């Protein structure tokens, strides 16, 4: 290296060590390793696309691209308030619920503070934690599900935040209303409980973890939601959160003012109103997830089992002769991209999104071949 080069390197900006400690997020693939476009069942997207009304509303936004979007997202907050029976002034919004999770960590934790999440929790939590210089504290799981007692046992005076996804990604596990209430009751009042409900619309009509009610009545609960999953608007990055006015006001201070585009705002309002699309997506998912879990149970003699899921995907564990990696590659050859998760301590797991009927029957047929089951 020439002398000037080494001087340049020595003078280059140095990222914070907590930033360099982040393992970059790995998105689901949409093409095979050799470049073929195939069925993408790796990112929990809606197999039916999005509501036609949402698509039309998004297109209508093209008429005013020269104008800044409404920084207050007032119409969308009104629509959310009316739909869910919550106060619009207690709603924050962001580019995906990912941004809302980052805002929560940014407003309430920093260097020297601790953030707790579950071992198989959502992969954005470690990033959001380290990004603000806070220390991640990982609570062990209970049979792949969130273990409330393990989380509570790890609370210290440095704890500022607890992240939990319900249903959880990538395991699909669900914590009951009682579990969530117990978790909240066990936390000191200064700890913010962030309840990530990205998949809540896939729960049955009588299932409610009580998150919105807790956020309404308690000063330390933030619920986050997204339009990326059942509403099928992942491309537009639309998420929101609901909490006390004080929590929302703190998060607003660090929001990028115009990050939430006009197409996103219009599409979300229309998507919310199209209840038929959501009902159809729910019913399809329920049917094919049950079907898929039964098919995997039938491969129990080959060492396969599905972690019981309440979301729009299933985590399949490979504990027999065929490894998850072999199945991952075999499925890719057959035209199905799923998510293999060695980076999340799940080298023996594949997370498979519930797709169309044709995709699910085709995938199961391919999987049966790969593991050597009778046709
Ligand atoms: C998909 C997902 C999100 C958020 O997605 P956005 O597209 O950023 O809204 C949040 N939490 C969990 C657990 C998810 O799986």
């Amino acid at each position: 290296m020439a002398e000037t080069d080494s001087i340049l390197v020595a003078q280059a900006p140095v990222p914070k060590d907590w930033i360099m400690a982040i393992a970059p997020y790995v998105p689901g693939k949409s093409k095979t390793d050799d470049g073929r476009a195939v069925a993408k069942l790796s990112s929990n997207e809606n197999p039916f696309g999005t509501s036609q009304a949402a698509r039309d509303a998004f297109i209508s936004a093209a008429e005013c691209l020269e104008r800044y979007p409404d920084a207050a997202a007032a119409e969308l907050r009104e629509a959310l308030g009316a739909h869910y029976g919550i106060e619009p002034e207690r709603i924050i919004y962001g580019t995906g619920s990912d941004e809302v999770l980052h805002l929560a960590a940014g407003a309430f934790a920093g260097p020297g503070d601790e953030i707790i999440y579950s071992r198989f929790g959502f992969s954005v939590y470690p990033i959001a934690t380290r990004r603000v210089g806070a220390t991640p504290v990982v609570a062990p799981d209970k049979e792949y599900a969130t273990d409330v007692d393990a989380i509570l046992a790890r609370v210290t005076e440095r704890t500022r935040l607890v992240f939990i996804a319900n249903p959880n990604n990538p395991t699909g596990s669900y914590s009951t209303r009682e579990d969530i209430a117990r978790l909240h009751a066990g936390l000191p009042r200064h700890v913010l409980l962030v309840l990530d409900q990205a998949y809540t619309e896939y729960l049955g009509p009588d299932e409610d973890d009580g998150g919105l009610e807790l956020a309404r009545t308690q000063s330390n609960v933030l619920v986050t939601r997204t339009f990326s999953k059942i509403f099928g608007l992942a491309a537009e990055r639309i998420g929101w959160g609901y909490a006390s006015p004080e929590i929302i006001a703190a998060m607003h201070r660090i929001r990028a003012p115009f990050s939430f585009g006009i197409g996103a705002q219009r599409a979300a309002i229309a998507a919310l109103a199209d209840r038929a699309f959501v009902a159809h997506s729910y019913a399809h998912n329920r049917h094919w997830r049950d079907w898929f879990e039964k098919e995997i149970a039938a491969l129990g003699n080959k060492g396969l089992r599905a972690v019981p899921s309440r979301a729009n995907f299933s985590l399949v564990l490979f504990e027999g002769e065929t490894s998850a990696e072999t199945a991952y590659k075999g499925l890719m050859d057959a035209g199905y991209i799923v998510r293999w998760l060695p980076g999340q301590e799940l080298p023996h797991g594949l997370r498979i999104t519930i797709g169309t009927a044709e995709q699910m029957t085709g995938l199961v047929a391919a999987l049966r071949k790969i593991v050597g089951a009778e046709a």
Side-chain angles (χ1 to χ4, degrees):
M1 204 191 283
E3 202 178 317
T4 47
D5 286 350
S6 57
I7 288 170
L8 286 178
V9 170
Q11 289 177 343
V14 180
K16 304 310 286 179
D17 16 332
W18 56 80
I19 300 297
M20 296 316 282
I22 293 175
Y25 183 82
V26 183
K29 295 185 188 210
S30 48
K31 284 185 180 160
T32 60
D33 289 339
D34 56 7
R36 287 174 295 136
V38 291
K40 185 184 178 199
L41 300 174
S42 58
S43 297
N44 304 340
E45 293 152 344
N46 191 321
F48 302 115
T50 193
S51 140
Q52 186 57 45
R55 206 184 302 273
D56 294 341
F58 174 76
I59 290 168
S60 78
E63 288 154 22
C64 39
L65 290 179
E66 75 286 5
R67 313 233 338 234
Y68 279 101
D70 174 14
E75 274 182 55
L76 174 57
R77 286 187 298 111
E78 287 297 329
L80 288 169
H83 190 92
Y84 294 107
I86 57 180
E87 308 88 326
E89 62 278 12
R90 291 176 56 174
I91 296 173
I92 190 151
Y93 38 90
T95 51
S97 51
D98 277 5
E99 186 188 14
V100 181
L101 301 171
H102 282 288
L103 295 176
F108 293 97
D113 297 332
E114 294 173 352
I115 294 183
I116 308 177
Y117 48 84
S118 189
R119 176 166 174 222
F120 298 119
F122 184 38
S123 58
V124 163
Y125 305 154
I127 301 175
T129 299
R130 293 192 194 273
R131 178 176 186 240
V132 300
T135 304
V137 175
V138 180
D141 63 298
K142 192 159 77 188
E143 269 301 298
Y144 296 94
T146 303
D147 183 345
V148 164
D149 298 304
I151 291 175
L152 289 175
R154 279 158 185 78
V155 173
T156 73
E157 72 220 18
R158 288 188 298 279
T159 307
R160 290 292 169 274
L161 211 133
V162 171
F163 279 126
I164 99 155
N166 200 31
N168 183 47
N169 171 15
T171 61
S173 59
Y174 176 66
S175 305
T176 63
R177 192 184 181 97
E178 291 69 37
D179 292 333
I180 299 296
R182 194 156 58 83
L183 173 59
H184 175 261
L187 291 176
R189 309 298 300 165
H190 71 270
V191 175
L192 177 62
L193 174 60
V194 180
L195 195 52
D196 174 349
Q197 295 186 334
Y199 300 97
T200 199
E201 298 86 0
Y202 291 104
L203 293 172
D206 49 349
E207 291 172 311
D208 173 6
D209 68 11
L212 287 180
E213 187 58 32
L214 274 179
R216 175 186 294 119
T217 55
Q218 306 295 318
S219 59
N220 64 334
V221 178
L222 168 70
V223 165
T224 65
R225 298 270 182 110
T226 181
F227 280 86
S228 299
K229 304 286 158 56
I230 208 165
F231 294 104
L233 287 167
E236 266 309 281
R237 317 303 305 122
I238 313 163
W240 58 280
Y242 175 66
S244 74
E246 292 75 20
I247 289 171
I248 297 299
M251 292 168 70
H252 264 301
R253 289 171 185 267
I254 53 171
R255 263 197 72 241
F258 297 106
S259 66
F260 198 56
I262 183 160
Q265 298 189 29
R266 289 197 183 173
I269 292 167
L272 204 55
D274 190 347
R275 292 181 191 232
F277 178 82
V278 171
H280 175 63
S281 301
Y282 167 82
H284 171 90
N285 184 71
R286 184 92 188 215
H287 175 82
W288 286 97
R289 188 184 66 203
D290 286 352
W291 178 85
F292 183 69
E293 288 184 347
K294 282 197 196 105
E295 291 291 320
I296 296 301
L299 295 173
N301 59 342
K302 301 288 179 185
L304 273 59
R305 69 182 166 114
V307 177
S309 170
R310 304 298 256 281
N312 68 339
F313 56 83
S314 175
L315 178 65
V316 180
L317 305 175
F318 291 75
E319 298 164 325
E321 230 163 85
T322 309
S323 72
E325 183 176 14
T326 299
Y328 170 69
K329 290 179 175 160
L331 286 172
M332 192 177 300
D333 285 342
Y336 302 92
I337 303 189
V338 300
R339 191 78 151 255
W340 178 41
L341 298 158
Q344 284 179 254
E345 289 184 58
L346 290 165
H348 56 303
L350 295 184
R351 194 196 67 193
I352 301 175
T353 305
I354 304 303
T356 62
E358 192 191 352
Q359 288 169 340
M360 297 319 287
T361 49
L363 180 141
V364 164
L367 190 58
R368 291 183 63 88
K369 251 194 213 159
I370 293 164
V371 302
E374 307 292 308

